[in-house]
Amino acid sequence: MKGQYFVADARDAIAVKQISRAITAWEPLLSLKFTRGESLYGGILVSYGLSVGEPTMLTFRDRHQEMNSGDAIVLVPSVRVDTKPTADVLWICHEGLAPEHLRDPVGLALGFERFPFAGGAEDHSICGRRRQVLPTTDLRYRVQYHFVEIENAEPHMHDDMVELYYVLSGEGEVRVGPSQDQLTGVHIRAGQLLAIGPGLFHVPSNGLGMCIWFLHTEMAHRRRVREAAAR
């Protein structure tokens, strides 16, 4: 994954598997998948999802909650959530311990956490107007992500992180390359994924609405947790 990028339609099973294999080769505990069905189930995985289909009702035991397109969801291991109608969800999956506040009886009682697309305070990031879903400062979770309306983004790169874009709205390009002087335009549109590996500079064009996941290796995540505890 280092120095590589991949683009695919989120509903193209073969292309999504190609991206997933690249992510897993870089970090064995992480994978990517797209699901469509009348239930959500991640088995032993902690699944960090994004609804990319029509509104649906989530049902877990006596709990009922609506999920709209663009809403984020964290599904804890060993629970099955029914959906009606069918749900289309894009997932980053982590094959490791669930966050402490979602483990064992607590997680099994809750089943899932939902974060509405329309919620959250807006601030500014290097890419534009941002609403954080799971903030990079919330290290209880293995994955962080947020919604961004791209506006005057600055070229940047990450040494130890895969950045995964899902385009919620708009059409444009992300310029990608090994240096700021060697950037190639990659065309993307709503419904597509772009995975950018460590060591690549990248900058998206104005007008794109995105969900952006930040994927760290397990070692890098543990280092971030230790550094935060030492502050």
Side-chain angles (χ1 to χ4, degrees), residues 8-67:
D9 289 335
R11 290 171 171 79
D12 183 335
I14 294 175
V16 170
K17 284 182 180 179
Q18 181 186 22
I19 296 177
S20 183
R21 284 194 294 266
I23 291 173
T24 301
W26 171 75
E27 170 48 67
L29 295 180
L30 295 177
S31 59
L32 170 70
K33 68 179 180 180
F34 169 79
T35 63
R36 170 179 293 156
E38 295 181 349
S39 67
L40 310 177
Y41 180 68
I44 64 171
L45 305 173
V46 183
S47 302
Y48 298 86
L50 179 76
S51 174
V52 296
E54 297 300 315
T56 186
M57 183 63 67
L58 306 175
T59 301
F60 177 71
R61 297 179 178 172
D62 295 330
R63 182 182 175 193
H64 305 278
Q65 192 160 27
E66 187 176 22
M67 182 171 71

Short mmCIF file of all heavy atoms in Angstrom, two decimals, residues 8-67:
data_model
loop_
_atom_site.label_atom_id
_atom_site.label_comp_id
_atom_site.label_asym_id
_atom_site.label_seq_id
_atom_site.Cartn_x
_atom_site.Cartn_y
_atom_site.Cartn_z
N ALA A 8 -12.06 2.92 -6.98
CA ALA A 8 -13.06 1.90 -7.33
C ALA A 8 -14.45 2.40 -7.02
O ALA A 8 -14.64 3.27 -6.16
CB ALA A 8 -12.79 0.62 -6.55
N ASP A 9 -15.44 1.85 -7.71
CA ASP A 9 -16.82 2.04 -7.32
C ASP A 9 -17.08 1.24 -6.06
O ASP A 9 -16.66 0.08 -5.95
CB ASP A 9 -17.77 1.57 -8.42
CG ASP A 9 -17.76 2.48 -9.64
OD1 ASP A 9 -17.41 3.66 -9.49
OD2 ASP A 9 -18.07 2.00 -10.74
N ALA A 10 -17.78 1.83 -5.10
CA ALA A 10 -18.00 1.16 -3.82
C ALA A 10 -18.79 -0.13 -3.97
O ALA A 10 -18.67 -1.03 -3.13
CB ALA A 10 -18.72 2.11 -2.86
N ARG A 11 -19.59 -0.25 -5.03
CA ARG A 11 -20.42 -1.43 -5.23
C ARG A 11 -19.78 -2.45 -6.18
O ARG A 11 -20.41 -3.45 -6.52
CB ARG A 11 -21.80 -1.02 -5.73
CG ARG A 11 -22.64 -0.31 -4.69
CD ARG A 11 -23.91 0.26 -5.29
NE ARG A 11 -24.81 0.77 -4.27
CZ ARG A 11 -24.67 1.94 -3.65
NH1 ARG A 11 -23.64 2.73 -3.95
NH2 ARG A 11 -25.53 2.34 -2.73
N ASP A 12 -18.55 -2.20 -6.60
CA ASP A 12 -17.82 -3.13 -7.46
C ASP A 12 -17.06 -4.10 -6.55
O ASP A 12 -15.99 -3.78 -6.03
CB ASP A 12 -16.85 -2.36 -8.36
CG ASP A 12 -16.10 -3.25 -9.34
OD1 ASP A 12 -15.94 -4.45 -9.06
OD2 ASP A 12 -15.66 -2.73 -10.39
N ALA A 13 -17.63 -5.30 -6.37
CA ALA A 13 -17.09 -6.25 -5.39
C ALA A 13 -15.63 -6.61 -5.67
O ALA A 13 -14.82 -6.70 -4.74
CB ALA A 13 -17.94 -7.51 -5.37
N ILE A 14 -15.28 -6.80 -6.93
CA ILE A 14 -13.92 -7.20 -7.27
C ILE A 14 -12.93 -6.07 -6.97
O ILE A 14 -11.86 -6.29 -6.38
CB ILE A 14 -13.83 -7.61 -8.76
CG1 ILE A 14 -14.65 -8.87 -8.99
CG2 ILE A 14 -12.37 -7.83 -9.16
CD1 ILE A 14 -14.73 -9.30 -10.45
N ALA A 15 -13.29 -4.84 -7.34
CA ALA A 15 -12.40 -3.70 -7.10
C ALA A 15 -12.26 -3.41 -5.61
O ALA A 15 -11.17 -3.07 -5.13
CB ALA A 15 -12.93 -2.47 -7.83
N VAL A 16 -13.35 -3.54 -4.85
CA VAL A 16 -13.28 -3.32 -3.41
C VAL A 16 -12.39 -4.37 -2.76
O VAL A 16 -11.60 -4.06 -1.85
CB VAL A 16 -14.70 -3.33 -2.78
CG1 VAL A 16 -14.62 -3.36 -1.26
CG2 VAL A 16 -15.49 -2.12 -3.24
N LYS A 17 -12.46 -5.61 -3.22
CA LYS A 17 -11.58 -6.66 -2.69
C LYS A 17 -10.11 -6.35 -3.00
O LYS A 17 -9.23 -6.64 -2.17
CB LYS A 17 -11.97 -8.02 -3.27
CG LYS A 17 -13.22 -8.61 -2.65
CD LYS A 17 -13.52 -9.98 -3.22
CE LYS A 17 -14.78 -10.56 -2.58
NZ LYS A 17 -15.10 -11.91 -3.15
N GLN A 18 -9.84 -5.77 -4.16
CA GLN A 18 -8.47 -5.41 -4.50
C GLN A 18 -7.93 -4.37 -3.51
O GLN A 18 -6.80 -4.48 -3.02
CB GLN A 18 -8.40 -4.86 -5.92
CG GLN A 18 -6.99 -4.47 -6.35
CD GLN A 18 -6.96 -3.80 -7.71
OE1 GLN A 18 -7.98 -3.27 -8.18
NE2 GLN A 18 -5.80 -3.83 -8.35
N ILE A 19 -8.76 -3.36 -3.21
CA ILE A 19 -8.34 -2.36 -2.23
C ILE A 19 -8.18 -3.01 -0.86
O ILE A 19 -7.21 -2.73 -0.14
CB ILE A 19 -9.36 -1.21 -2.16
CG1 ILE A 19 -9.42 -0.46 -3.50
CG2 ILE A 19 -8.99 -0.23 -1.04
CD1 ILE A 19 -10.47 0.64 -3.53
N SER A 20 -9.11 -3.88 -0.49
CA SER A 20 -9.04 -4.54 0.82
C SER A 20 -7.77 -5.35 0.95
O SER A 20 -7.10 -5.32 2.00
CB SER A 20 -10.26 -5.43 1.02
OG SER A 20 -10.26 -6.01 2.30
N ARG A 21 -7.40 -6.09 -0.09
CA ARG A 21 -6.18 -6.88 -0.03
C ARG A 21 -4.95 -5.99 0.16
O ARG A 21 -4.02 -6.35 0.90
CB ARG A 21 -6.04 -7.72 -1.30
CG ARG A 21 -6.95 -8.94 -1.35
CD ARG A 21 -6.53 -9.90 -2.44
NE ARG A 21 -6.69 -9.33 -3.75
CZ ARG A 21 -7.76 -9.48 -4.52
NH1 ARG A 21 -8.78 -10.19 -4.08
NH2 ARG A 21 -7.82 -8.93 -5.71
N ALA A 22 -4.95 -4.84 -0.51
CA ALA A 22 -3.81 -3.92 -0.38
C ALA A 22 -3.73 -3.37 1.05
O ALA A 22 -2.64 -3.26 1.62
CB ALA A 22 -3.94 -2.79 -1.39
N ILE A 23 -4.89 -3.02 1.63
CA ILE A 23 -4.91 -2.51 3.00
C ILE A 23 -4.47 -3.59 3.98
O ILE A 23 -3.66 -3.34 4.88
CB ILE A 23 -6.32 -1.99 3.36
CG1 ILE A 23 -6.63 -0.71 2.56
CG2 ILE A 23 -6.43 -1.71 4.86
CD1 ILE A 23 -8.07 -0.23 2.71
N THR A 24 -4.96 -4.81 3.80
CA THR A 24 -4.62 -5.90 4.71
C THR A 24 -3.15 -6.29 4.59
O THR A 24 -2.52 -6.66 5.59
CB THR A 24 -5.52 -7.13 4.44
OG1 THR A 24 -6.89 -6.75 4.63
CG2 THR A 24 -5.20 -8.27 5.39
N ALA A 25 -2.58 -6.22 3.38
CA ALA A 25 -1.15 -6.51 3.22
C ALA A 25 -0.31 -5.49 3.97
O ALA A 25 0.77 -5.81 4.48
CB ALA A 25 -0.79 -6.51 1.73
N TRP A 26 -0.82 -4.26 4.06
CA TRP A 26 -0.10 -3.21 4.79
C TRP A 26 -0.33 -3.33 6.29
O TRP A 26 0.59 -3.14 7.08
CB TRP A 26 -0.59 -1.85 4.26
CG TRP A 26 -0.13 -0.66 5.03
CD1 TRP A 26 1.12 -0.10 5.03
CD2 TRP A 26 -0.93 0.13 5.91
NE1 TRP A 26 1.15 0.99 5.86
CE2 TRP A 26 -0.10 1.16 6.42
CE3 TRP A 26 -2.26 0.09 6.33
CZ2 TRP A 26 -0.56 2.12 7.31
CZ3 TRP A 26 -2.72 1.03 7.21
CH2 TRP A 26 -1.88 2.05 7.69
N GLU A 27 -1.57 -3.65 6.71
CA GLU A 27 -1.92 -3.84 8.12
C GLU A 27 -2.87 -5.03 8.24
O GLU A 27 -4.05 -4.92 7.90
CB GLU A 27 -2.56 -2.58 8.69
CG GLU A 27 -3.18 -2.73 10.07
CD GLU A 27 -2.24 -3.42 11.07
OE1 GLU A 27 -1.21 -2.84 11.41
OE2 GLU A 27 -2.56 -4.55 11.47
N PRO A 28 -2.38 -6.19 8.71
CA PRO A 28 -3.18 -7.41 8.70
C PRO A 28 -4.49 -7.35 9.47
O PRO A 28 -5.38 -8.17 9.22
CB PRO A 28 -2.23 -8.45 9.33
CG PRO A 28 -0.86 -7.91 9.07
CD PRO A 28 -1.01 -6.42 9.16
N LEU A 29 -4.63 -6.43 10.41
CA LEU A 29 -5.86 -6.38 11.22
C LEU A 29 -6.97 -5.56 10.57
O LEU A 29 -8.09 -5.53 11.08
CB LEU A 29 -5.55 -5.80 12.61
CG LEU A 29 -4.63 -6.63 13.49
CD1 LEU A 29 -4.42 -5.93 14.83
CD2 LEU A 29 -5.17 -8.03 13.70
N LEU A 30 -6.70 -4.90 9.44
CA LEU A 30 -7.69 -4.04 8.79
C LEU A 30 -8.12 -4.62 7.45
O LEU A 30 -7.32 -5.20 6.71
CB LEU A 30 -7.14 -2.63 8.58
CG LEU A 30 -6.82 -1.81 9.82
CD1 LEU A 30 -6.20 -0.48 9.41
CD2 LEU A 30 -8.06 -1.58 10.66
N SER A 31 -9.40 -4.44 7.13
CA SER A 31 -9.91 -4.84 5.82
C SER A 31 -11.07 -3.92 5.44
O SER A 31 -11.54 -3.11 6.26
CB SER A 31 -10.38 -6.30 5.83
OG SER A 31 -11.40 -6.49 6.81
N LEU A 32 -11.51 -4.03 4.21
CA LEU A 32 -12.56 -3.18 3.65
C LEU A 32 -13.61 -4.07 3.01
O LEU A 32 -13.28 -5.07 2.37
CB LEU A 32 -11.96 -2.24 2.61
CG LEU A 32 -12.91 -1.43 1.72
CD1 LEU A 32 -13.62 -0.35 2.52
CD2 LEU A 32 -12.13 -0.81 0.56
N LYS A 33 -14.88 -3.71 3.17
CA LYS A 33 -15.93 -4.46 2.47
C LYS A 33 -17.15 -3.59 2.25
O LYS A 33 -17.35 -2.57 2.94
CB LYS A 33 -16.31 -5.73 3.23
CG LYS A 33 -17.03 -5.48 4.55
CD LYS A 33 -17.41 -6.80 5.23
CE LYS A 33 -18.13 -6.57 6.56
NZ LYS A 33 -18.50 -7.83 7.22
N PHE A 34 -17.97 -3.99 1.28
CA PHE A 34 -19.27 -3.38 1.04
C PHE A 34 -20.32 -4.47 1.23
O PHE A 34 -20.15 -5.59 0.74
CB PHE A 34 -19.35 -2.82 -0.39
CG PHE A 34 -20.74 -2.42 -0.79
CD1 PHE A 34 -21.28 -1.22 -0.36
CD2 PHE A 34 -21.51 -3.25 -1.60
CE1 PHE A 34 -22.57 -0.85 -0.73
CE2 PHE A 34 -22.79 -2.88 -1.97
CZ PHE A 34 -23.32 -1.68 -1.54
N THR A 35 -21.40 -4.16 1.98
CA THR A 35 -22.46 -5.14 2.17
C THR A 35 -23.81 -4.56 1.79
O THR A 35 -24.04 -3.36 1.92
CB THR A 35 -22.54 -5.63 3.63
OG1 THR A 35 -22.88 -4.53 4.49
CG2 THR A 35 -21.21 -6.21 4.09
N ARG A 36 -24.68 -5.44 1.31
CA ARG A 36 -26.07 -5.08 1.04
C ARG A 36 -26.93 -6.22 1.58
O ARG A 36 -26.74 -7.38 1.22
CB ARG A 36 -26.31 -4.90 -0.46
CG ARG A 36 -27.79 -4.76 -0.83
CD ARG A 36 -27.96 -4.57 -2.32
NE ARG A 36 -27.41 -3.29 -2.73
CZ ARG A 36 -26.99 -3.02 -3.96
NH1 ARG A 36 -27.02 -3.95 -4.89
NH2 ARG A 36 -26.51 -1.82 -4.26
N GLY A 37 -27.87 -5.89 2.47
CA GLY A 37 -28.68 -6.96 3.02
C GLY A 37 -29.66 -6.47 4.06
O GLY A 37 -29.74 -5.28 4.36
N GLU A 38 -30.40 -7.42 4.63
CA GLU A 38 -31.42 -7.12 5.62
C GLU A 38 -30.91 -7.27 7.04
O GLU A 38 -31.69 -7.25 7.99
CB GLU A 38 -32.63 -8.00 5.38
CG GLU A 38 -33.31 -7.71 4.04
CD GLU A 38 -34.54 -8.56 3.79
OE1 GLU A 38 -34.74 -9.53 4.56
OE2 GLU A 38 -35.29 -8.26 2.85
N SER A 39 -29.61 -7.44 7.19
CA SER A 39 -29.02 -7.48 8.53
C SER A 39 -27.56 -7.03 8.43
O SER A 39 -26.93 -7.12 7.37
CB SER A 39 -29.11 -8.88 9.15
OG SER A 39 -28.30 -9.79 8.43
N LEU A 40 -27.04 -6.55 9.55
CA LEU A 40 -25.64 -6.15 9.68
C LEU A 40 -24.99 -7.09 10.67
O LEU A 40 -25.49 -7.28 11.78
CB LEU A 40 -25.52 -4.71 10.18
CG LEU A 40 -26.34 -3.64 9.45
CD1 LEU A 40 -26.16 -2.29 10.13
CD2 LEU A 40 -25.94 -3.56 7.98
N TYR A 41 -23.87 -7.68 10.28
CA TYR A 41 -23.18 -8.62 11.17
C TYR A 41 -21.71 -8.65 10.81
O TYR A 41 -21.35 -8.87 9.65
CB TYR A 41 -23.78 -10.02 11.04
CG TYR A 41 -23.12 -11.06 11.93
CD1 TYR A 41 -23.26 -11.00 13.32
CD2 TYR A 41 -22.36 -12.09 11.38
CE1 TYR A 41 -22.65 -11.94 14.14
CE2 TYR A 41 -21.75 -13.03 12.19
CZ TYR A 41 -21.89 -12.96 13.57
OH TYR A 41 -21.30 -13.88 14.38
N GLY A 42 -20.84 -8.42 11.80
CA GLY A 42 -19.41 -8.40 11.54
C GLY A 42 -18.65 -9.56 12.14
O GLY A 42 -17.42 -9.60 12.04
N GLY A 43 -19.35 -10.52 12.77
CA GLY A 43 -18.66 -11.65 13.39
C GLY A 43 -17.74 -11.19 14.50
O GLY A 43 -18.16 -10.47 15.41
N ILE A 44 -16.46 -11.57 14.43
CA ILE A 44 -15.50 -11.20 15.46
C ILE A 44 -14.94 -9.80 15.25
O ILE A 44 -14.15 -9.31 16.06
CB ILE A 44 -14.33 -12.20 15.51
CG1 ILE A 44 -13.53 -12.15 14.20
CG2 ILE A 44 -14.83 -13.60 15.81
CD1 ILE A 44 -12.23 -12.93 14.25
N LEU A 45 -15.34 -9.14 14.18
CA LEU A 45 -14.75 -7.85 13.81
C LEU A 45 -15.47 -6.68 14.47
O LEU A 45 -16.68 -6.73 14.70
CB LEU A 45 -14.80 -7.66 12.29
CG LEU A 45 -14.16 -8.75 11.44
CD1 LEU A 45 -14.44 -8.49 9.96
CD2 LEU A 45 -12.67 -8.84 11.69
N VAL A 46 -14.72 -5.61 14.75
CA VAL A 46 -15.32 -4.31 15.02
C VAL A 46 -15.45 -3.62 13.67
O VAL A 46 -14.46 -3.50 12.93
CB VAL A 46 -14.46 -3.44 15.96
CG1 VAL A 46 -15.17 -2.14 16.27
CG2 VAL A 46 -14.14 -4.20 17.23
N SER A 47 -16.63 -3.20 13.30
CA SER A 47 -16.88 -2.68 11.95
C SER A 47 -17.27 -1.21 12.02
O SER A 47 -18.23 -0.83 12.70
CB SER A 47 -17.99 -3.49 11.27
OG SER A 47 -17.65 -4.86 11.22
N TYR A 48 -16.52 -0.39 11.30
CA TYR A 48 -16.74 1.06 11.24
C TYR A 48 -17.37 1.37 9.89
O TYR A 48 -16.70 1.32 8.85
CB TYR A 48 -15.42 1.81 11.41
CG TYR A 48 -14.75 1.56 12.74
CD1 TYR A 48 -13.91 0.46 12.94
CD2 TYR A 48 -14.97 2.42 13.81
CE1 TYR A 48 -13.31 0.24 14.16
CE2 TYR A 48 -14.35 2.20 15.04
CZ TYR A 48 -13.53 1.11 15.22
OH TYR A 48 -12.93 0.89 16.43
N GLY A 49 -18.68 1.65 9.89
CA GLY A 49 -19.42 1.70 8.65
C GLY A 49 -19.94 3.07 8.27
O GLY A 49 -20.00 4.00 9.07
N LEU A 50 -20.36 3.15 7.01
CA LEU A 50 -21.00 4.35 6.46
C LEU A 50 -22.16 3.89 5.59
O LEU A 50 -21.98 3.08 4.67
CB LEU A 50 -20.01 5.15 5.61
CG LEU A 50 -20.59 6.42 4.97
CD1 LEU A 50 -20.74 7.52 6.03
CD2 LEU A 50 -19.71 6.92 3.83
N SER A 51 -23.37 4.41 5.87
CA SER A 51 -24.53 4.08 5.06
C SER A 51 -24.43 4.79 3.72
O SER A 51 -24.28 6.01 3.67
CB SER A 51 -25.82 4.49 5.78
OG SER A 51 -26.94 4.29 4.94
N VAL A 52 -24.51 4.03 2.62
CA VAL A 52 -24.40 4.62 1.28
C VAL A 52 -25.63 4.29 0.43
O VAL A 52 -25.59 4.41 -0.79
CB VAL A 52 -23.11 4.14 0.58
CG1 VAL A 52 -21.88 4.63 1.32
CG2 VAL A 52 -23.07 2.62 0.44
N GLY A 53 -26.73 3.92 1.10
CA GLY A 53 -27.95 3.59 0.38
C GLY A 53 -29.13 4.40 0.86
O GLY A 53 -28.99 5.50 1.41
N GLU A 54 -30.31 3.86 0.70
CA GLU A 54 -31.54 4.53 1.10
C GLU A 54 -31.71 4.46 2.62
O GLU A 54 -31.09 3.62 3.29
CB GLU A 54 -32.74 3.86 0.41
CG GLU A 54 -32.73 3.98 -1.11
CD GLU A 54 -32.74 5.43 -1.56
OE1 GLU A 54 -33.54 6.22 -1.00
OE2 GLU A 54 -31.96 5.77 -2.46
N PRO A 55 -32.56 5.34 3.19
CA PRO A 55 -32.81 5.27 4.63
C PRO A 55 -33.35 3.90 5.03
O PRO A 55 -34.06 3.25 4.27
CB PRO A 55 -33.87 6.36 4.85
CG PRO A 55 -33.66 7.32 3.73
CD PRO A 55 -33.25 6.48 2.55
N THR A 56 -32.98 3.47 6.22
CA THR A 56 -33.42 2.17 6.72
C THR A 56 -33.60 2.25 8.24
O THR A 56 -33.07 3.16 8.88
CB THR A 56 -32.40 1.07 6.36
OG1 THR A 56 -32.91 -0.21 6.73
CG2 THR A 56 -31.08 1.29 7.07
N MET A 57 -34.36 1.33 8.77
CA MET A 57 -34.55 1.26 10.22
C MET A 57 -33.68 0.15 10.78
O MET A 57 -33.72 -1.00 10.32
CB MET A 57 -36.02 0.97 10.56
CG MET A 57 -36.30 0.96 12.05
SD MET A 57 -36.01 2.57 12.84
CE MET A 57 -37.33 3.55 12.08
N LEU A 58 -32.84 0.50 11.78
CA LEU A 58 -32.00 -0.48 12.45
C LEU A 58 -32.75 -1.02 13.66
O LEU A 58 -33.32 -0.25 14.44
CB LEU A 58 -30.70 0.18 12.92
CG LEU A 58 -29.87 0.92 11.87
CD1 LEU A 58 -28.68 1.60 12.53
CD2 LEU A 58 -29.41 -0.02 10.77
N THR A 59 -32.72 -2.33 13.83
CA THR A 59 -33.39 -2.96 14.97
C THR A 59 -32.43 -3.92 15.65
O THR A 59 -31.90 -4.85 15.02
CB THR A 59 -34.65 -3.72 14.53
OG1 THR A 59 -35.55 -2.81 13.90
CG2 THR A 59 -35.33 -4.35 15.73
N PHE A 60 -32.20 -3.69 16.95
CA PHE A 60 -31.39 -4.59 17.75
C PHE A 60 -32.11 -4.78 19.07
O PHE A 60 -32.27 -3.84 19.86
CB PHE A 60 -29.99 -4.02 17.98
CG PHE A 60 -29.14 -4.88 18.86
CD1 PHE A 60 -28.65 -6.10 18.42
CD2 PHE A 60 -28.82 -4.48 20.16
CE1 PHE A 60 -27.87 -6.90 19.24
CE2 PHE A 60 -28.04 -5.27 20.98
CZ PHE A 60 -27.56 -6.48 20.53
N ARG A 61 -32.64 -5.99 19.28
CA ARG A 61 -33.45 -6.28 20.45
C ARG A 61 -34.63 -5.30 20.51
O ARG A 61 -35.41 -5.24 19.58
CB ARG A 61 -32.60 -6.26 21.71
CG ARG A 61 -31.51 -7.34 21.71
CD ARG A 61 -30.64 -7.32 22.94
NE ARG A 61 -29.67 -8.40 22.90
CZ ARG A 61 -28.67 -8.55 23.77
NH1 ARG A 61 -28.55 -7.69 24.77
NH2 ARG A 61 -27.83 -9.56 23.66
N ASP A 62 -34.75 -4.52 21.57
CA ASP A 62 -35.87 -3.58 21.67
C ASP A 62 -35.53 -2.19 21.15
O ASP A 62 -36.33 -1.26 21.30
CB ASP A 62 -36.33 -3.46 23.13
CG ASP A 62 -36.89 -4.77 23.66
OD1 ASP A 62 -37.44 -5.54 22.86
OD2 ASP A 62 -36.75 -5.02 24.88
N ARG A 63 -34.36 -2.05 20.59
CA ARG A 63 -33.90 -0.74 20.14
C ARG A 63 -34.17 -0.56 18.64
O ARG A 63 -33.87 -1.44 17.84
CB ARG A 63 -32.40 -0.61 20.40
CG ARG A 63 -31.81 0.74 20.00
CD ARG A 63 -30.30 0.74 20.26
NE ARG A 63 -29.69 1.95 19.78
CZ ARG A 63 -28.37 2.11 19.64
NH1 ARG A 63 -27.55 1.11 19.97
NH2 ARG A 63 -27.87 3.24 19.19
N HIS A 64 -34.75 0.59 18.28
CA HIS A 64 -35.05 0.91 16.88
C HIS A 64 -34.48 2.31 16.59
O HIS A 64 -34.74 3.25 17.34
CB HIS A 64 -36.55 0.90 16.61
CG HIS A 64 -37.22 -0.38 17.00
ND1 HIS A 64 -37.21 -1.50 16.20
CD2 HIS A 64 -37.90 -0.73 18.12
CE1 HIS A 64 -37.88 -2.47 16.79
NE2 HIS A 64 -38.30 -2.03 17.98
N GLN A 65 -33.74 2.42 15.52
CA GLN A 65 -33.16 3.71 15.17
C GLN A 65 -33.03 3.83 13.66
O GLN A 65 -32.57 2.91 12.99
CB GLN A 65 -31.78 3.88 15.83
CG GLN A 65 -31.24 5.29 15.77
CD GLN A 65 -30.16 5.52 16.82
OE1 GLN A 65 -29.47 4.61 17.26
NE2 GLN A 65 -30.01 6.77 17.25
N GLU A 66 -33.41 5.00 13.14
CA GLU A 66 -33.33 5.22 11.70
C GLU A 66 -31.89 5.52 11.30
O GLU A 66 -31.16 6.20 12.02
CB GLU A 66 -34.23 6.39 11.28
CG GLU A 66 -34.31 6.57 9.78
CD GLU A 66 -35.30 7.66 9.38
OE1 GLU A 66 -35.58 8.53 10.23
OE2 GLU A 66 -35.77 7.65 8.23
N MET A 67 -31.49 5.02 10.13
CA MET A 67 -30.17 5.33 9.58
C MET A 67 -30.35 5.86 8.16
O MET A 67 -30.94 5.19 7.31
CB MET A 67 -29.26 4.10 9.58
CG MET A 67 -27.86 4.39 9.07
SD MET A 67 -26.70 3.00 9.32
CE MET A 67 -27.35 1.83 8.10
#
